[in-house]
Amino acid sequence: MRAAVDRAAVVRAAVVHGTGFRPTAAEAVAGLVLLLVLVAALWPGLLAPGDPLATSPADAFQAPSPAHLFGTDESGRDIYTRVVHGARDSLLIGVLATGIGIGLATVLGFVAGLGPRWLDFGTTRLVEVLFAFPGLLLALLFIVVTGPGVLSSTIAVGLATAPGYARIIRSQVRRTASAEFIEAARVLGRGRLWIVARHILPNVTAALFVLATLGLGQAIIWVSSLSYLGLGAVPPAAEWGAMLAAGRTYIANFWWMTFFPGLAIVASAAAATVIGRGIQKRNRSAA
């Protein structure tokens, strides 16, 4: 029976992967956007060699033009250069916040999914209580206690997203732990740690990757929101949320100061979500 199941899995994998990966138009565009953001984060000088903090009062409030593609701000700083260089901070903070959330959720999910019934009950009730609060509210409460700052906002977003991830991971762990091949491994005398490392963790990894991809877009938005409120990065830092906060005073007359940083946030978050949904759909098709 196990051999038949394995052959069926091989056939499904061959059907899914053998025809080659064919992204949709939306996934192709999203991939291109994420590639540009990644290049901007790792090698910003390739796209914008200027200094994002360099001021030029004589050039203040210039509209978008060939000389300044995204215009300039109140200090004459080139907004295009700041948006490109701001990708590093925004993406790094988003990745760190997502990593904190996924890491904590993995611990909670495995403890609840593999622990005794009383531990599962207690952990699940705790996660449900935290999940009942809006995530951004939890982040704000954490910052109230610890104080504002980039580090605090990063940890706050990670902690706020963990309850939602933990519920999904617990469900995936319990589903995998009750599978027939896990029972067969126990009958063969395999130890608990061996089963977790060899079977359960690899099966949960795919779900973790999808969660991380989807969570990255959410984390970028939340971290930028906290910076916009003055609880994360603050002006003149070249961070997208901080740029929004600096430009809101002039939004009525100089729209480009908020439009382009906002566009970068929305495009990055949307692209990560589209890629995550695509991976999720293909994982379900291969299951």
Side-chain angles (χ1 to χ4, degrees), residues 102-116:
I102 293 293
L104 180 58
T106 301
V107 174
L108 293 174
F110 270 83
V111 168
L114 299 177

Side-chain angles (χ1 to χ4, degrees), residues 121-136:
F121 179 84
T123 304
T124 303
R125 297 293 84 77
L126 174 63
V127 169
E128 288 179 351
V129 169
L130 294 176
F131 190 71
F133 289 90
L136 195 55

Side-chain angles (χ1 to χ4, degrees), residues 111-153:
V111 168
L114 299 177
R117 183 172 301 179
W118 64 269
L119 187 57
D120 178 26
F121 179 84
T123 304
T124 303
R125 297 293 84 77
L126 174 63
V127 169
E128 288 179 351
V129 169
L130 294 176
F131 190 71
F133 289 90
L136 195 55
L137 177 59
L138 284 178
L140 290 173
L141 290 175
F142 179 84
I143 292 177
V144 168
V145 175
T146 62
V150 174
L151 180 60
S152 295
S153 64

Side-chain angles (χ1 to χ4, degrees), residues 13-28:
V15 171
V16 175
H17 301 290
T19 56
F21 175 70
R22 296 179 181 177
T24 64
E27 291 170 351

Side-chain angles (χ1 to χ4, degrees), residues 59-201:
D59 296 326
F61 299 120
Q62 288 194 14
S65 66
H68 301 283
L69 294 179
F70 292 175
T72 62
D73 62 11
E74 75 280 7
S75 298
R77 293 182 291 250
D78 185 72
I79 294 178
Y80 169 75
T81 301
R82 289 175 58 76
V83 168
V84 171
H85 285 259
R88 172 176 295 175
D89 291 340
S90 299
L91 186 61
L92 178 60
I93 295 172
V95 168
L96 290 176
T98 302
I100 292 172
I102 293 293
L104 180 58
T106 301
V107 174
L108 293 174
F110 270 83
V111 168
L114 299 177
R117 183 172 301 179
W118 64 269
L119 187 57
D120 178 26
F121 179 84
T123 304
T124 303
R125 297 293 84 77
L126 174 63
V127 169
E128 288 179 351
V129 169
L130 294 176
F131 190 71
F133 289 90
L136 195 55
L137 177 59
L138 284 178
L140 290 173
L141 290 175
F142 179 84
I143 292 177
V144 168
V145 175
T146 62
V150 174
L151 180 60
S152 295
S153 64
T154 302
I155 298 175
V157 171
L159 295 178
T161 56
Y165 297 149
R167 297 180 67 190
I168 299 174
I169 294 173
R170 172 191 175 274
S171 176
Q172 187 73 18
V173 168
R174 291 187 68 86
R175 185 183 302 114
T176 305
S178 61
E180 293 183 358
F181 65 90
I182 297 295
E183 184 62 30
R186 293 195 184 99
V187 172
L188 293 174
R190 302 298 187 184
R192 188 180 183 87
L193 291 178
W194 190 93
I195 292 175
V196 171
R198 185 68 180 271
H199 293 297
I200 297 180
L201 185 58

Side-chain angles (χ1 to χ4, degrees), residues 1 7 20 23 30-31 36 47 72 77 86 109 114 124 128 205-206 259 264 281 284:
M1 179 178 178
R7 285 196 295 270
L36 288 175
L47 301 178
T72 62
R77 293 182 291 250
L114 299 177
T124 303
E128 288 179 351
T205 299
F259 176 79
K281 185 184 299 182
R284 289 176 178 175

